[in-house]
Amino acid sequence: MDERYPPIEPYEHGMLDVGDGNAVYWEACGNPHGTPALVVHGGPGSGCGTEVRRFFDPDRYRVILFDQRGCGRSTPHASDPATPMRHNTTHHLVADMERLREHLGVDRWLLHGGSWGSTLILAYAERHPDRVSAIVIAAVTMSRRFEIDWLYRGVGRFFPEQWDRFLAGAPGTPRDGDVVAAYARLLEDPDPAVRERATIDWCAWEDAVVSAETKGAHNPYGDRPSAARTAMVRICSWYFSHGVWLEEGELLRDAHRLAGIPGVLIHGRLDLGGGLVTAWELHQAWPDSELIVVEEAGHLGTAETRHHVVRALDRFAAGG
């Protein structure tokens, strides 16, 4: 049974100048007078989608979505090799979120997202805890360096053939070398054919990691439109090759700043891309959180995952 709400369209949208020559796309759906909620998409660089709107009761929520710098409808777009990346970091995105909150006149908002989105949510909430009413995360990550290394190397023990192809896509990189940084360099190559090949190879690896979940029915990374795919890979490799500009373990270390913010963490036990240990450690450090383990789910989630997300958002709909 699909417990999500019917599809809805934005009642307003706009472009917000966030400085450094960047403009961030945003949109609002649901009830303009409802409980404010911000959707923080994954990737980094995936852009906001439409289906996530359906997790929110449109009568009770003012749902705000935005495309992070360089992706989706935000400008300039990272698929354009002329777009500089130096003004696209975790700290820039946190500042963009706060600027968007001020622009829209929101006092406090609920934050919802998953995967990379959870890292950005935690970074924002730990910096601006007084602006966060609640947090709902599915597929918890903190983008620590060992988590990044697991996703782009360690999990290769389950997919050795595909990982060898991924490594081969960055010629000259030793098996114990920094394959993520190697791909980041390829995405800055002046030859468009080199950039395209690297994008395809990166997405093939990402699709391999979730292949047990998709059963080959689709490729959630490789099937994206060309520009969206290129931007995502360029941004992903840029962020992860820099350890997302956070000190190792910073988000866990500073989880005490989340005290008083209720949170629901939902994680699949079979998430090969990001182990349950990350959600568990965060839950232990954040007493106001609840951890829900979905036994049969992986990184992309299942109907049960969606059930828990909708249930948690319904619980917080009144702002409590």
Side-chain angles (χ1 to χ4, degrees), residues 115-234:
S115 194
W116 157 253
S118 63
T119 295
L120 186 52
I121 284 171
L122 294 169
Y124 175 90
E126 290 179 5
R127 190 165 303 176
H128 302 285
D130 56 328
R131 298 304 182 184
V132 181
S133 60
I135 294 172
V136 177
I137 292 173
V140 182
T141 72
M142 289 188 278
S143 298
R144 291 172 288 184
R145 286 160 181 80
F146 84 83
E147 295 176 50
I148 296 168
D149 186 68
W150 169 260
L151 177 56
Y152 296 104
R153 181 192 315 280
V155 74
R157 68 192 63 185
F158 294 100
F159 306 98
E161 180 183 357
Q162 294 90 337
W163 192 80
D164 277 356
R165 286 201 294 266
F166 180 54
L167 182 64
T173 306
R175 296 187 69 82
D176 60 351
D178 192 341
V179 66
V180 173
Y183 269 88
R185 290 190 293 271
L186 291 173
L187 265 294
E188 301 302 323
D189 195 281
D191 186 342
V194 171
R195 299 195 301 271
E196 176 65 11
R197 183 71 257 167
T199 297
I200 291 171
D201 290 341
W202 178 286
C203 289
W205 170 247
E206 296 271 16
D207 286 330
V209 174
V210 297
S211 58
E213 302 176 57
T214 62
K215 309 298 184 186
H218 67 290
N219 295 310
Y221 299 95
D223 289 347
R224 300 177 187 220
S226 178
R229 187 180 61 196
T230 300
M232 184 199 71
V233 175
R234 189 178 179 205

Side-chain angles (χ1 to χ4, degrees), residues 242-259:
H242 287 87
V244 306
W245 293 275
L246 296 175
E247 295 178 20
E248 184 69 349
E250 176 180 337
L251 298 181
L252 187 62
R253 180 197 71 201
D254 294 342
H256 62 91
R257 296 180 181 174
L258 304 174

